[in-house]
Amino acid sequence: MRSLFWKVFLANLLTLLVALGTVSVLLTATYRNLYYKRALQHLLAVATDMARQLEPILSDPARRQELETVRVAMERSSRTQICILRHGGAESEVFGKGPLGEHADTPGPGADQAQAGETVVLSPSVALCGEHMLLAHVPFADRRGSPWSLYVRAGMAGVVDETVWQLRRLLLLAVIVAIAVSLLVALGLSRRITGPLRRMRRLATTMAAGDFSQRLGLREKDEIGDLAQSFDSLADSLQRSLSDLGQEQARLRGILASVAEGIIAVDAERRVTLLNPQAAALLDLDQASTVGARIGDLSLPQDVSRQFLECLGTNQLCSVEFDLSHPKRHLVIRVAPVRAAEGEPWGAVAVVRDVTAAHRFEDMRRQFISDASHEIRTPLTSIGGFAAAIADGTAATDDQRTRGASLIVREVERLNRLVEDLLDLSRIESGAVRLELEDVDLAELSRAAVEAFQSQAREKGIRVELDLPVDLPTVRADPDRVYQVLVNLVSNALRFNRPDGEIAIAARPTEGHVRVEVRDTGPGIPADQLPYIWERFHRADSSRARQEGGTGLGLAIVSSIIEAHGGSVSAESELGRGSTFSFTLPIT
């Protein structure tokens, strides 16, 4: 293959060089002829201009003594020889040497070849110096009407030397460039011919290694093109088979990666053959290193490993629930036997689900039912007792009946608040509540919320402070809903504060929002409970919440209202030091 390349390369290079040489010779000859024509025209123009300059001097006999000086000056400036001839028979005069002779009394040989107003090239046989010469003859008349002839001679060597040198330099540069271009062209042509053969060799090598994705893509209508198309057809059919198989595998991987559950496949030798990202995340496994490892060598809970071994041993469905820490979560794994084809050994496929949220929701649901039952039973018991007392006459006096009726009204209001909280939360989360947005002064709403709880604060000895700047910007919000948020947060701060404690309400503008904080000096919230305090039914201290009243819906309502306004909520707490609840609303 290498010898073929160089043979083709040298043949192409020789062809290009021959063509280049032929073009160079033709170009040189053409350029020389063109230059001769331009030189003859130029010399005639120079002679004509000289005749025009000499005419005033020749017309004035008094200035004849200047003629020789002017003639010599013209010869020097134009680097030519000048001969001036006055016609007139016996009175003919010749100034300067003849154009081709050494005598001053004759125009010299060859002058008769230069017709009037023309230029000629004199051969070396006529020229004295044995070189080609240019001769121009310009006839003119002076002011007195006397006829004159001006002969101007220029040696061809002196005229063309510089031009020939420039031409040679240009030709040398052109030859160098042409050689470089010829090399590149020859190299390109050689590669174009031998390239397909090399590509076929590489394609055959890659196909032998199992890669059928490459193609030659040649469309030449010759033997090499036919061979290349045969290679491509073979690669196409093999590639289609591999593509179909790859699509099936990709579809399977996509399905496994998109399901919410984790999936683990183990072969009969107890090696992991498949592990989707969800399973790796749930079981804290590295996906790359786990595939191919034995199930017993993995850092899995003992119950999980036991289920795989049991399923592989009995070919029966197995399942188990277990807990993991860091972070704490509750998982369920179900292992089922499976095999690829009849007669092959059994493997196992496991599905892992995270049921932490379901367990926590179930716990909250049970807790809510318990709390709601308590909250409903207590006022219903009071209502039933006082209603029975009034009905059967046990409350005999007007004061007793009035006190009983007042307690019934208070307990009914308590039930109404519970129902309203549940309905409010449901409407807000479903988007059924339409916000009436307007420019709201948070400072004014904060003062109104504090005044609503002023009597309760005095009863508990809790001091309430407001830290509201005078230039606090307004926010775009529903004033009734924002007031509901402030009331819920202040109510919580009062309910879960210590006697003689403090409540501080502060507001500050920050990055296009106003941030409002409600701080208390209560017992605080455990750190593991903070992520869940905004969820419905959740209460950090169930026993105390039951004593203080409430169902754990207040903060869930706060979060839903603020998020509906495009704001955010957050909470910080330190056990024994109190808690800070905050929310943000966009500035108008």
Side-chain angles (χ1 to χ4, degrees), residues 284-563:
D284 292 331
L285 298 174
D286 179 69
Q287 190 173 8
S289 60
T290 300
V291 175
R294 290 184 176 273
I295 195 70
D297 297 335
L298 302 176
S299 57
L300 293 173
Q302 188 175 1
D303 289 342
V304 176
S305 300
R306 187 185 306 116
Q307 295 305 312
F308 273 103
L309 297 178
E310 182 179 347
C311 179
L312 291 172
T314 63
N315 293 335
Q316 299 294 325
L317 177 67
C318 302
S319 64
V320 66
E321 295 188 14
F322 59 98
D323 293 324
L324 291 179
S325 55
H326 307 298
K328 185 177 181 180
R329 55 198 184 280
H330 192 79
L331 305 179
V332 175
I333 185 169
R334 289 181 173 83
V335 187
V338 65
R339 61 180 177 180
E342 193 70 28
E344 292 189 0
W346 288 86
V349 174
V351 177
V352 186
R353 295 180 57 199
D354 187 350
V355 295
T356 306
H359 275 243
R360 182 159 49 83
F361 182 80
E362 180 64 22
D363 292 341
M364 288 191 299
R365 186 186 66 81
R366 285 196 294 264
Q367 186 64 49
F368 169 73
I369 292 174
S370 175
D371 293 342
S373 299
H374 175 79
E375 292 295 328
I376 294 173
R377 185 185 300 112
T378 300
L380 286 178
T381 301
S382 300
I383 291 171
F386 283 103
I390 294 174
D392 61 15
T394 303
T397 65
D398 290 340
D399 289 342
Q400 290 175 338
R401 286 192 291 271
T402 300
R403 188 167 66 87
S406 298
L407 288 174
I408 290 173
V409 170
R410 186 178 66 190
E411 295 301 329
V412 169
E413 290 177 349
R414 182 176 175 183
L415 287 174
N416 281 334
R417 284 195 302 272
L418 173 61
V419 173
E420 284 299 323
D421 282 349
L422 288 171
L423 291 176
D424 252 358
L425 183 60
S426 177
R427 286 194 295 264
I428 294 171
E429 290 185 343
S430 65
V433 175
R434 181 178 178 181
L435 299 177
E436 301 294 337
L437 300 179
E438 59 183 73
D439 293 344
V440 176
D441 185 353
L442 286 176
E444 181 181 345
L445 288 182
S446 299
R447 283 190 286 269
V450 170
E451 290 176 3
F453 291 95
Q454 199 65 49
S455 60
Q456 295 183 29
R458 281 196 297 268
E459 290 176 4
K460 292 187 175 183
I462 296 175
R463 185 172 69 258
V464 181
E465 296 181 354
L466 290 172
D467 182 11
L468 306 171
V470 295
D471 58 347
L472 187 67
T474 59
V475 296
R476 192 71 176 168
D478 185 327
D480 293 334
R481 291 300 176 181
V482 176
Y483 179 75
Q484 184 180 2
V485 168
L486 290 168
V487 166
N488 281 351
L489 293 180
V490 174
S491 175
N492 278 353
L494 281 172
R495 185 183 306 147
F496 297 104
N497 213 328
R498 58 178 172 80
D500 301 325
E502 296 179 359
I503 296 176
I505 302 176
R508 293 288 184 274
T510 172
E511 297 181 358
H513 292 74
V514 172
R515 182 183 182 86
V516 180
E517 295 182 348
V518 178
R519 296 188 295 271
D520 63 56
T521 55
I525 303 172
D528 60 341
Q529 298 293 321
L530 278 177
Y532 310 113
I533 62 173
W534 303 103
E535 296 179 356
R536 62 174 69 188
F537 314 139
H538 181 84
R539 293 181 298 185
D541 189 344
S542 304
S543 60
R544 182 171 181 183
R546 183 174 294 164
Q547 295 173 2
E548 298 290 342
T551 59
L553 296 175
L555 291 181
I557 293 174
V558 168
S559 176
S560 297
I561 291 175
I562 296 301
E563 289 178 357

